[in-house]
Amino acid sequence: MFGSLGRNELHVDDEVNSTYMHDLYLSVTSLLHTNYVCVDHDSVGLQHPDQQPKHAAFVETRLEEKFSEYKIHINGDANPSVAGSGKYFEGEKEEFKNEEWKERMETWKTRQEKRGLVTKSGDGGHDKDDDDDFLIAEARQPLWRKVPIPSRLINPYRIVIVVRFIILCFFFHFRILTPAYDAYPLWVISVICEIWFGLSWILDQFPKWCPINRETYLDRLSLRFEREGEPDRLAPVDFFVSTVDPLKEPPIITANTVLSILSVDYPTEKVSCYVSDDGASMLLFDTLSETSEFARRWVPFCKKYNVEPRAPEFYFSEKIDYLKDKVQPTFVKDRRAMKREYEEFKVRINALVAKAQKKPEEGWVYLGSEGALDIEGKELPKLVYVSREKRPGYLHHKKAGAMNALVRVSAVLTNAPFILNLDCDHYLNNSKAVREAMCFLMDPQIGKKLCYVQFPQRFDGIDRHDRYANRNVVFFDINMKGLDGIQGPVYVGTGCVFNRQALYGYDPPASEKRPKMTCDCWPNWCCCCCGRSRKPKAKKKGLKSLLGLGGLYSKKKKMMGKQYTRKSSGPAFDLEEIEEGLEGYDELEKSSLMSQKNFEKRFGMSPVFVASTLKEDGGLPESTNSTSLVKEAIHVISCGYEEKTEWGKEIGWIYGSITEDILTGFKMHCRGWRSVYCSPKRPAFKGSAPINLSDRLHQVLRWALGSVEIFLSRHCPLWYGYGGKLKWLERLAYINTIVYPFTSIALLAYCTLPAVCLLTGKFIVPTLNNLASIWFIALFLSIIATGILELRWSGVSIEDWWRNEQFWVIGGVSAHLFAVFQGLLKVLAGVDTNFTVTSKTADDNEFGELYLFKWTTLLIPPTTLIILNMVGVVAGVSEAINNGYGSWGPLFGKLFFAFWVIVHLYPFLKGLMGRQNRTPTIVVLWSILLASIFSLVWVRIDPFLPKQTGPILKQCGVEC
Ligand SMILES: O=c1ccn([C@@H]2O[C@H](COP(=O)(O)OP(=O)(O)O[C@H]3O[C@H](CO)[C@@H](O)[C@H](O)[C@H]3O)[C@@H](O)[C@H]2O)c(=O)[nH]1
Ligand SMILES: [Mn+2]
């Protein structure tokens, strides 16, 4: 099956994939525990011809060191080796000033530290029971707390919102009732635009009505689930990493992400890392095998010295004094050695990259199966490489398809109850991130109702001024916190820990007498609407019985011991084999009359997978055979697997939009799930973002296009899911995320108006009387006031806010506009949308990217606008000069609007200039052409009114 890989592309994107017969049928390569298993359908090792000796090296991937204990560090002083964790407990310090408590925690702490190295028996002495009582009491405390925004900050904000709303009503009253008769079309256009802006303001504003913050208590989590002398009870987590193109997503970046996962501060046996390679690239495969080798040294180093972040590239490039807190004598030496090793590792990866670019003619072949070892041992997290099958003629659904393939593979191989999904460039910046999520997901009260815990996206390597608002601070620190107070943040595609059950399309468990969890600052009637539930759907329990194992249960016993042989394309297991997986489900359910067919219709033809979905707390059936599991894993990633199933429709990541993230989260919220926003002080994950103008615009274009796709699909939040489970404010927010691209049309018109006004001498507002001017000024002030108060409760800086405003205009008049048309084209003409992956740079050349200029049609509309407005300013001013001082008054309003446009587009202008002030001639030509055509049209033809001798004279009423 791997025989002809040599003639395949090594760097394939989605397009290429579907045009080529995908020779790399698939390979599930598990660096499972202690060994490196490479398997295809016939359970053989996958190897390069020239790499045979290396295979032996993979076999022992065991960690030299045991998982180092999670350390509680209440006072941030004692042990320098755990100083890194000290700062996470600041919130606790105040609560436990009490000396006795401190002392006991110290005892407990030292005991915890000894654990694993020293045998615990006899340790503790006479006060052990007292201690335990105290700790048990502490462990019973909540794992997290909602921190409301202080009312002195939030109440004025709310008042101003209401006031602004009222002013807006009066404003529209005035605008609609007093047309500017001398410029009627201009007036109509501007009023329509203003109404649209007003509506989109409402969509954006009201979901921010009751923002909240959250605080977690990691020490209590540990006390509760990691009891001394008992097995650790933290829930297992499957990590998903998605990659597609090894050229745009350099392997070293993915390697860093993987290393940060493997060294996460979490019980090792509970961590598994699945890497999805949509490009089927041998390069990534090799990189991962190198990475697993390097992890043998990197992981113990991280755990020993508690370093952060645990992605070596970013750790070693941190410009901090690493000697400061680390007084351990061996640290400096170890760090130096580690750094050297990492450099060597990088050299090896670069060699792989260079080699792969040469595309060896002899091709990659597969070798025999000696290397495929058993799944055993528990010291290093599992690392599984998955390249799903792709063939021409099949829809692969981009990232969503890749994620669904991982959901099934992981269900078969590890079946952790929680799934953490990351883009290949988003590394774990805070090794305790998973614990943060567990504070919510393992909470006995709300845990079961949560579909996911979303972390904010934070970025590295962004220019200091964040010219193109890459950080998205306003969204992550204002909007998401607002949503958290309603039904939960939207899913943003990365840095999100899912409840596996929620991905299976189930409804959340019915709420019986559970403490009210949602926004308690909003009047109750808002929450009433979510209490009504109706849809009698195939519920969890129903599904369990659907499997109809009752009959098979007894039959199975007779068939025990029989050697099952499997058709190569069929499922690897028969139902009988998975009976173990269902032990613990009562006979009643098992004896249901429903047929297995219904289950297969939903989840596909894999009984193993189906059985795994029934295990609410995850885990594999007791007596499973690793070889057959791997075979089953391969079966569930075959490209025909999802045919005639509900994958992508109701289950897993939802298909139909290139912003699969919004859609997936939306479906969950519609089912009544809640999500939680968690932003620990130390950012949990960090990624990279496109910092040059063209790439950024293309990224925004893709997002907007995804929104338009949702808008035009059956999942449009305007019409979909009126079952009463989606709260209405949450719905407003979702509507906002899918209609925003349409604002671009209004924005384009509104940005053209000032120029038109200046060139024609007309204005969108008739001469103002005193009352009208008051509404104008009041509106203006209320806009400023909401802005300021919003910044105050959220802590966002004014610069970030301003960048956001600017990019709203820049993106609006370029990317969003194109997205609207492309989206319509897609629906009307069936032109497909493609997922243009953003390139991630791995080089050290700082911000060189920022000035990179790539020509794209997206640049034309903003360039035209900016020139048009500048021309308008010049024309307006020169006309006013000609006409004397009296005409300066009306001119002021127009100039103000023109400047508003220019100032918003300013970063765009900068980007256009590049570093060397070189703008490609084509852009200049196009824009000057368009701008002059427009100017001529307006000045000469003057379509709005019959020619007048002096509109300005008429306005000011003074004869000059
Ligand atoms: O066919 C594909 C295309 C993309 N990807 C992966 O999707 C991720 C996101 O791609 P990127 O180009 O980095 O997009 P961004 O705009 O930076 O990503 C944001 O927006 C996307 C939706 O457009 C979400 O999927 C991402 O999670 C979110 O971080 C990357 O890991 C890719 O490897 C695939 O696995 N298969
Ligand atoms: Mn990205």
Side-chain angles (χ1 to χ4, degrees):
M1 207 161 306
F2 297 99
S4 47
L5 269 171
R7 59 180 164 75
N8 203 352
E9 286 287 337
L10 283 169
H11 319 292
V12 268
D13 58 25
D14 215 14
E15 266 65 50
V16 182
N17 275 342
S18 39
T19 50
Y20 276 76
M21 181 69 164
H22 215 158
D23 292 306
L24 185 55
Y25 186 56
L26 80 182
S27 56
V28 174
T29 309
S30 349
L31 296 127
L32 285 160
H33 302 301
T34 56
N35 52 45
Y36 186 92
V37 193
C38 323
V39 200
D40 76 348
H41 263 178
D42 309 311
S43 189
V44 292
L46 171 63
Q47 290 281 290
H48 291 184
D50 53 341
Q51 277 195 342
Q52 189 137 31
K54 218 166 113 200
H55 190 64
F58 297 152
V59 173
E60 185 63 28
T61 323
R62 186 187 299 269
L63 259 180
E64 293 95 354
E65 246 191 48
K66 281 205 159 186
F67 171 70
S68 71
E69 270 307 318
Y70 171 65
K71 290 158 191 131
I72 292 234
H73 194 248
I74 294 254
N75 296 307
D77 49 11
N79 187 345
S81 76
V82 292
S85 56
K87 53 178 168 290
Y88 294 101
F89 302 101
E90 277 164 6
E92 295 291 78
K93 276 186 208 164
E94 275 101 55
E95 283 184 48
F96 307 111
K97 288 237 170 69
N98 167 337
E99 279 306 300
E100 186 191 30
W101 162 254
K102 207 167 132 185
E103 210 178 284
R104 285 186 175 167
M105 280 313 291
E106 282 304 322
T107 332
W108 183 82
K109 197 174 85 184
T110 27
R111 237 193 285 149
Q112 286 291 303
E113 276 163 14
K114 276 187 217 154
R115 202 177 109 195
L117 306 167
V118 182
T119 28
K120 321 169 274 295
S121 59
D123 180 33
H126 62 279
D127 63 341
K128 192 175 191 304
D129 288 348
D130 273 5
D131 255 12
D132 287 353
D133 286 350
F134 217 95
L135 294 175
I136 286 168
E138 172 64 6
R140 287 208 187 106
Q141 295 288 310
L143 298 174
W144 61 275
R145 184 171 79 93
K146 201 189 273 184
V147 189
I149 309 281
S151 49
R152 77 188 153 80
L153 292 178
I154 199 74
N155 286 341
Y157 176 66
R158 288 183 186 151
I159 293 167
V160 166
I161 291 175
V162 173
V163 170
R164 178 168 166 184
F165 184 77
I166 296 168
I167 294 174
L168 202 64
C169 294
F170 281 104
F171 174 79
F172 280 127
H173 178 84
F174 164 78
R175 286 289 278 146
I176 294 167
L177 292 185
T178 48
Y181 289 109
D182 63 332
Y184 205 76
L186 291 185
W187 170 81
V188 171
I189 293 173
S190 62
V191 169
I192 292 175
C193 291
E194 281 158 18
I195 292 177
W196 179 262
F197 294 143
L199 287 176
S200 65
W201 171 67
I202 289 173
L203 290 180
D204 181 60
Q205 185 67 74
F206 285 89
K208 296 186 280 197
W209 186 261
C210 54
I212 54 165
N213 283 312
R214 289 172 197 274
E215 198 172 85
T216 51
Y217 305 109
L218 299 186
D219 49 348
R220 292 177 188 164
L221 183 81
S222 181
L223 282 172
R224 196 182 291 187
F225 297 107
E226 298 179 289
R227 289 269 207 24
E228 187 193 347
E230 287 172 24
D232 186 301
R233 291 187 295 125
L234 286 172
V237 180
D238 288 338
F239 288 71
F240 291 1
V241 178
S242 58
T243 71
V244 62
D245 181 343
L247 285 187
K248 282 183 166 175
E249 308 178 322
I252 191 72
I253 300 265
T254 312
N256 268 278
T257 304
V258 168
L259 285 169
S260 73
I261 293 173
L262 297 181
S263 52
V264 62
D265 181 352
Y266 207 69
T268 313
E269 69 280 7
K270 306 209 161 160
V271 174
S272 319
C273 176
Y274 293 85
V275 182
S276 153
D277 179 11
D278 256 2
S281 124
M282 209 47 126
L283 171 56
L284 184 68
F285 179 89
D286 290 338
T287 301
L288 284 183
S289 55
E290 285 287 353
T291 306
S292 71
E293 180 63 25
F294 180 68
R296 296 173 60 199
R297 271 148 291 139
W298 174 250
V299 177
F301 170 78
C302 289
K303 291 186 173 174
K304 184 170 177 195
Y305 298 109
N306 248 310
V307 303
E308 294 278 9
R310 297 185 180 181
E313 183 71 35
F314 303 93
Y315 171 64
F316 289 121
S317 62
E318 272 204 338
K319 292 177 187 77
I320 48 151
D321 181 12
Y322 59 87
L323 295 175
K324 214 172 131 208
D325 290 328
K326 316 271 180 181
V327 281
Q328 252 166 306
T330 50
F331 176 69
V332 177
K333 198 174 113 256
D334 284 1
R335 188 186 190 276
R336 204 169 288 147
M338 200 64 236
K339 190 167 181 178
R340 201 167 45 242
E341 293 207 34
Y342 177 65
E343 294 302 330
E344 284 165 14
F345 170 71
K346 259 170 99 170
V347 169
R348 286 199 297 277
I349 301 293
N350 286 339
L352 286 175
V353 173
K355 198 167 104 192
Q357 276 162 356
K358 279 195 222 112
K359 286 181 197 162
E361 271 155 34
E362 74 273 27
W364 314 97
V365 293
Y366 71 93
L367 298 174
S369 64
E370 297 100 282
L373 298 180
D374 205 352
I375 306 175
E376 250 176 19
K378 284 186 192 306
E379 276 78 17
L380 196 72
K382 301 159 206 69
L383 177 57
V384 183
Y385 170 87
V386 179
S387 176
R388 64 189 166 128
E389 184 193 18
K390 281 182 161 185
R391 283 177 190 281
Y394 286 87
L395 282 175
H396 297 298
H397 301 292
K398 295 143 194 145
K399 184 184 164 192
M403 288 293 109
N404 284 341
L406 286 191
V407 171
R408 294 190 298 270
V409 172
S410 63
V412 167
L413 294 181
T414 45
N415 198 28
F418 301 108
I419 290 171
L420 197 167
N421 122 269
L422 290 173
D423 288 353
C424 59
D425 59 336
H426 280 246
Y427 65 89
L428 234 95
N429 180 59
N430 177 342
S431 61
K432 292 185 170 57
V434 190
R435 290 171 181 272
E436 298 272 353
M438 286 309 151
C439 285
F440 302 102
L441 293 167
M442 293 186 76
D443 181 299
Q445 268 156 18
I446 64 152
K448 287 267 182 269
K449 315 260 174 181
L450 296 182
C451 50
Y452 55 81
V453 174
Q454 175 69 57
F455 291 85
Q457 282 188 33
R458 303 289 182 204
F459 302 94
D460 272 325
I462 289 177
D463 49 303
R464 194 157 54 84
H465 297 293
D466 191 14
R467 192 189 281 176
Y468 305 120
N470 273 299
R471 274 191 257 267
N472 256 327
V473 185
V474 172
F475 174 75
F476 285 114
D477 289 348
I478 299 181
N479 296 58
M480 291 288 260
K481 285 181 182 173
L483 287 176
D484 201 13
I486 309 167
Q487 196 177 349
V490 299
Y491 163 50
V492 296
T494 178
C496 184
V497 188
F498 283 96
N499 176 351
R500 192 184 271 273
Q501 291 293 315
L503 282 170
Y504 290 158
Y506 297 128
D507 287 357
S511 46
E512 315 138 287
K513 280 239 202 100
R514 115 198 128 82
K516 196 152 72 66
M517 167 56 206
T518 44
C519 149
D520 28 34
C521 31
W522 187 254
N524 275 344
W525 53 262
C526 126
C527 310
C528 298
C529 57
C530 45
R532 291 179 279 120
S533 107
R534 32 40 314 152
K535 249 186 286 171
K537 261 201 251 159
K539 296 280 158 54
K540 182 73 209 284
K541 191 149 182 175
L543 278 166
K544 261 184 211 162
S545 33
L546 286 180
L547 194 54
L549 280 155
L552 294 164
Y553 186 73
S554 46
K555 219 189 292 167
K556 184 242 156 196
K557 303 275 177 207
K558 296 176 221 149
M559 299 173 90
M560 282 288 264
K562 186 181 169 192
Q563 191 64 39
Y564 287 103
T565 44
R566 183 175 72 79
K567 285 166 254 111
S568 64
S569 58
F573 285 76
D574 280 310
L575 262 184
E576 291 89 303
E577 288 180 76
I578 55 165
E579 181 264 334
E580 278 85 353
L582 296 167
E583 218 105 60
Y585 289 98
D586 42 297
E587 285 293 322
L588 201 79
E589 283 179 26
K590 285 180 184 170
S591 62
S592 161
L593 294 168
M594 304 299 281
S595 75
Q596 185 197 349
K597 284 247 165 55
N598 288 315
F599 243 121
E600 285 178 348
K601 243 190 189 155
R602 198 173 162 84
F603 290 117
M605 303 284 280
S606 167
V608 185
F609 177 76
V610 167
S612 79
T613 65
L614 299 179
K615 297 203 119 207
E616 267 179 72
D617 297 322
L620 297 175
E622 299 287 277
S623 59
T624 42
N625 159 341
S626 62
T627 325
S628 43
L629 281 185
V630 175
K631 276 188 184 168
E632 189 62 10
I634 288 166
H635 167 63
V636 297
I637 57 173
S638 56
C639 60
Y641 184 85
E642 292 183 354
E643 267 174 43
K644 302 203 185 85
T645 66
E646 289 186 9
W647 284 100
K649 295 182 198 115
E650 298 295 325
I651 300 175
W653 268 255
I654 307 298
Y655 304 150
S657 164
I658 35 174
T659 49
E660 74 300 322
D661 40 6
I662 300 295
L663 201 48
T664 305
F666 175 61
K667 283 284 261 193
M668 291 179 179
H669 284 136
C670 283
R671 292 204 168 91
W673 291 94
R674 217 198 172 287
S675 58
V676 156
Y677 192 53
C678 176
S679 47
K681 283 204 189 66
R682 185 184 169 87
F685 308 98
K686 276 189 171 185
S688 62
I691 58 169
N692 72 74
L693 179 60
S694 315
D695 284 349
R696 174 67 169 147
L697 288 180
H698 275 290
Q699 182 185 43
V700 183
L701 169 67
R702 172 155 52 73
W703 291 348
L705 191 49
S707 290
V708 176
E709 283 177 323
I710 301 176
F711 181 85
L712 298 172
S713 76
R714 78 180 178 97
H715 284 123
C716 176
L718 280 167
W719 302 291
Y720 182 81
Y722 279 96
K725 290 188 174 179
L726 183 70
K727 299 199 175 169
W728 70 273
L729 278 178
E730 188 83 10
R731 180 183 299 278
L732 278 196
Y734 273 111
I735 292 175
N736 192 29
T737 56
I738 57 126
V739 301
Y740 77 87
F742 294 94
T743 306
S744 62
I745 298 170
L747 208 53
L748 183 73
Y750 217 75
C751 288
T752 326
L753 283 178
V756 173
C757 289
L758 283 165
L759 291 171
T760 59
K762 298 183 184 63
F763 200 39
I764 52 174
V765 191
T767 329
L768 297 179
N769 60 26
N770 282 345
L771 186 70
S773 346
I774 288 177
W775 291 128
F776 269 87
I777 293 168
L779 184 67
F780 197 68
L781 290 180
S782 70
I783 290 174
I784 294 179
T786 20
I788 292 174
L789 292 171
E790 199 162 89
L791 298 186
R792 274 191 60 209
W793 70 252
S794 62
V796 170
S797 73
I798 185 127
E799 194 187 4
D800 282 321
W801 175 84
W802 173 235
R803 289 285 175 244
N804 193 66
E805 293 296 301
Q806 287 181 316
F807 200 72
W808 175 69
V809 175
I810 297 173
V813 296
S814 58
H816 299 174
L817 196 68
F818 280 75
V820 171
F821 291 114
Q822 281 188 30
L824 290 172
L825 259 178
K826 191 198 168 189
V827 171
L828 301 177
V831 184
D832 197 21
T833 46
N834 60 341
F835 195 119
T836 326
V837 182
T838 328
S839 16
K840 288 103 188 163
T841 35
D843 59 2
D844 316 314
N845 155 32
E846 267 201 3
F847 310 136
E849 270 277 297
L850 177 63
Y851 306 105
L852 200 75
F853 185 87
K854 297 178 204 158
W855 157 248
T856 144
T857 26
L858 293 180
L859 301 175
I860 293 178
T863 316
T864 311
L865 277 181
I866 214 165
I867 294 180
L868 212 58
N869 276 287
M870 284 172 162
V871 170
V873 169
V874 173
V877 170
S878 56
E879 186 144 344
I881 291 171
N882 287 340
N883 289 318
Y885 291 108
S887 51
W888 283 95
L891 183 69
F892 179 76
K894 296 169 206 166
L895 284 181
F896 176 81
F897 279 109
F899 277 124
W900 182 90
V901 175
I902 294 171
V903 164
H904 276 84
L905 289 175
Y906 187 65
F908 173 84
L909 192 67
K910 262 185 164 171
L912 215 57
M913 296 302 178
R915 182 181 254 158
Q916 299 84 8
N917 289 346
R918 268 191 296 115
T919 307
T921 26
I922 180 117
V923 186
V924 180
L925 284 182
W926 262 107
S927 312
I928 291 178
L929 193 72
L930 286 176
S932 38
I933 289 172
F934 270 115
S935 319
L936 281 175
V937 166
W938 290 119
V939 176
R940 299 277 169 238
I941 302 165
D942 205 355
F944 297 117
L945 263 189
K947 267 261 187 283
Q948 276 180 339
T949 33
I952 295 168
L953 290 185
K954 203 180 170 192
Q955 266 179 18
C956 66
V958 179
E959 296 283 340
C960 309

